[in-house]
Amino acid sequence: MTSALLKITVAGLALMAAGAATAAAPDARKAHEGMIVLDTHFDTPANLGRPEWNIMDRHVEATDGDQVDLPRMIDGGVDGGFFAIFTASGPRTSEGDRAARDFAIRRGVQIREMIAKHADTFSLAITADDAEAAVKQGKRFVFLSMENGYPFERDISLMSAFRSLGVTMMSPVHTKNNDLADSSTDKPEWNGLSPAGKAYVAEANRLGILIDLSHASDAVVRQTVALSKAPIILSHSGMRGVFDHPRNIPDAEAKLIAEKGGVIQINAFNAYMIATPKIPEREAALKELMAGFMSRANMSAQERRDLIARRKEIDARWPVPQATFDDLMKHILHAIKLVGIDHIGISGDFDGGGGIEGFRDITDFPKVTAALLKAGYKAEDIAGLWGGNALRVLRAAQVGAEPGTVPAIPFTN
Ligand SMILES: [Zn+2]
């Protein structure tokens, strides 16, 4: 009897300890609620075309894979973010470029329609002031961003068209080289920026577009920092000083970005955070499963749940090491110690492959606030990390723009 009771007590204590480690303390929660909290890379727009998907509904990460929606923005104390128009790399031909352009325009319109349909809840943001005004009105702000310059790689004038659609941040390249720049995960082709890539930097400066260099090669980072009149951002990246992966930013380049006033937003993408050995059978099974993944745009809720269940079966059969919340904090704390908390932010890379143990969706954001408070950082500095720093760098990019290129919100929503 006594030993059974003791066992229960020990189990209860262990549970309490686990709870304390994963939930934010009440004062941390209060501090978190008082901050403007944003994520600079939501891949959530990929869900917008799905027939049954609605950002107003609550979804469950474990079963349907989705990581961002309004109910969980409220739970996570998340005020807004940059909603990405992500274009997958494809053929660098006239046809490929046109298809990429059209895809990106449609995606941008879907985001605008999402905002317009829920205008009492969401508000389009072009400037940092817009974001702050939305928060004061009790709304969530939505910036539009582009991941991959493929849609405008051969026609830089399209940047202006995307700017008019509401896009405020653009990255030149994704996981494969394109006509603008080398990718961090491809073989050098231009040894940095191409001539068109240099024109992209100049045009971004002219239009007040914030340049995002996540996924770009180290040489692209060095050249762009030297060339750009405005500071730059890495919207979702890790630290190579913690884990040696080409997708992560080396310490030297991180310092260059910070010295120019820029910001590095730390992501939570498993394979970039810790060593995850490639298992050929697993890769083959995932490749087969993901072959139709771009059709996520049309998936029903049930099809999506089936996909997630099948992915979990692959994970169970060929498990790979999982990064934890502690690994995320290692990247964050290394970055803060290297360049200062004024140059660091957070992006989960949610709905785009991000998510690790203990940091599965946006409801886990308050845990970072709690961990940083516990590590001795001041609430005002943590507020910068959650939003102030990214808004500062956006302001800096827009202040140098040619007059008239950063208008007020072009339409009501
Ligand atoms: Zn990405």
Side-chain angles (χ1 to χ4, degrees), residues 41 43 86 147 174-175 214-215 236 247 267 269 272 349 352:
H41 190 74
D43 272 310
F86 162 64
E147 181 176 38
H174 192 236
T175 53
S214 281
H215 288 285
H236 57 300
R247 178 65 179 81
N267 73 0
F269 195 101
Y272 305 151
D349 199 0

Side-chain angles (χ1 to χ4, degrees), residues 269-271 276-290 310-323 353 355 360:
F269 195 101
N270 196 57
T276 52
K278 291 251 183 285
I279 305 166
E281 295 90 338
R282 174 189 164 89
E283 296 301 311
L286 280 174
K287 201 174 167 193
E288 195 194 326
L289 180 63
M290 294 306 184
R310 285 177 60 200
R311 202 166 72 191
K312 282 189 190 263
E313 282 167 22
I314 294 170
D315 283 341
R317 188 148 174 216
W318 298 287
V320 290
Q322 290 296 305
R360 304 286 338 165

Side-chain angles (χ1 to χ4, degrees), residues 80-101:
F82 288 75
F83 284 64
I85 300 170
F86 162 64
T87 315
S89 302
R92 288 156 63 183
T93 59
S94 304
E95 294 76 21
D97 286 336
R98 278 202 301 276
R101 175 199 63 192

Side-chain angles (χ1 to χ4, degrees), residues 87-334:
T87 315
S89 302
R92 288 156 63 183
T93 59
S94 304
E95 294 76 21
D97 286 336
R98 278 202 301 276
R101 175 199 63 192
D102 295 350
F103 172 87
I105 291 170
R106 280 195 296 273
R107 184 66 86 225
V109 169
Q110 283 175 335
I111 302 171
R112 294 291 299 256
E113 284 180 343
M114 184 274 280
I115 303 166
K117 196 171 166 190
H118 309 293
D120 292 341
T121 307
F122 290 102
S123 183
L124 175 70
I126 303 291
T127 65
D129 287 352
D130 295 338
E132 288 167 1
V135 173
K136 282 204 183 91
Q137 291 168 20
K139 291 186 185 180
R140 316 272 148 182
F141 57 85
V142 177
F143 286 106
L144 271 66
S145 60
M146 289 178 80
E147 181 176 38
N148 201 356
Y150 181 29
F152 54 80
E153 66 175 354
R154 281 204 239 183
D155 184 356
I156 292 297
S157 77
L158 284 169
M159 287 174 69
S160 186
F162 283 110
R163 172 65 194 78
S164 297
L165 188 58
V167 177
T168 53
M169 174 168 83
M170 297 182 190
S171 78
V173 70
H174 192 236
T175 53
K176 297 234 179 341
N177 297 343
N178 63 19
D179 289 359
L180 301 171
D182 288 345
S183 168
S184 61
T185 46
D186 204 344
K187 291 189 191 76
E189 176 181 337
W190 305 103
N191 292 312
L193 291 163
S194 73
K198 289 175 185 158
Y200 147 82
V201 173
E203 184 66 354
N205 287 165
R206 188 183 77 82
L207 294 171
I209 296 285
L210 179 54
I211 295 174
D212 171 16
L213 294 183
S214 281
H215 288 285
S217 74
D218 299 347
V220 172
V221 172
R222 287 191 296 273
Q223 291 167 17
T224 307
V225 168
L227 201 60
S228 174
K229 290 183 198 152
I232 63 126
I233 193 167
L234 303 185
S235 70
H236 57 300
S237 287
M239 300 304 296
R240 210 175 300 173
V242 177
F243 176 57
D244 187 9
H245 190 290
R247 178 65 179 81
N248 294 335
I249 192 77
D251 286 1
E253 278 72 9
K255 282 184 182 170
L256 290 177
I257 291 168
E259 280 162 15
K260 186 123 183 193
V263 178
I264 300 159
Q265 306 277 131
I266 303 298
N267 73 0
F269 195 101
N270 196 57
Y272 305 151
M273 297 177 74
I274 58 164
T276 52
K278 291 251 183 285
I279 305 166
E281 295 90 338
R282 174 189 164 89
E283 296 301 311
L286 280 174
K287 201 174 167 193
E288 195 194 326
L289 180 63
M290 294 306 184
F293 192 62
M294 284 316 284
S295 67
R296 168 177 163 190
N298 306 316
M299 265 183 205
S300 70
Q302 189 53 49
E303 282 168 335
R304 178 101 165 118
R305 279 194 288 271
D306 291 345
L307 174 82
I308 299 301
R310 285 177 60 200
R311 202 166 72 191
K312 282 189 190 263
E313 282 167 22
I314 294 170
D315 283 341
R317 188 148 174 216
W318 298 287
V320 290
Q322 290 296 305
T324 62
F325 184 76
D326 286 346
D327 292 310
L328 174 64
M329 290 310 299
K330 268 185 211 160
H331 281 263
I332 293 172
L333 292 170
H334 175 83

Side-chain angles (χ1 to χ4, degrees), residues 12-78:
L13 281 174
L15 267 177
M16 280 167 66
T22 51
D27 51 344
R29 176 77 210 193
K30 201 168 163 232
H32 185 81
E33 286 292 342
M35 302 169 186
I36 292 184
V37 174
L38 64 85
D39 185 307
T40 42
H41 190 74
F42 283 145
D43 272 310
T44 312
N47 288 329
L48 291 178
R50 286 170 53 195
E52 299 160 82
W53 199 87
N54 188 337
I55 196 159
M56 308 302 275
D57 294 340
R58 180 181 292 275
H59 304 82
V60 180
E61 188 277 333
T63 49
D64 58 29
D66 300 333
Q67 294 165 302
V68 179
D69 50 44
L70 177 70
R72 287 180 294 170
M73 286 180 94
I74 295 166
D75 289 355
V78 181

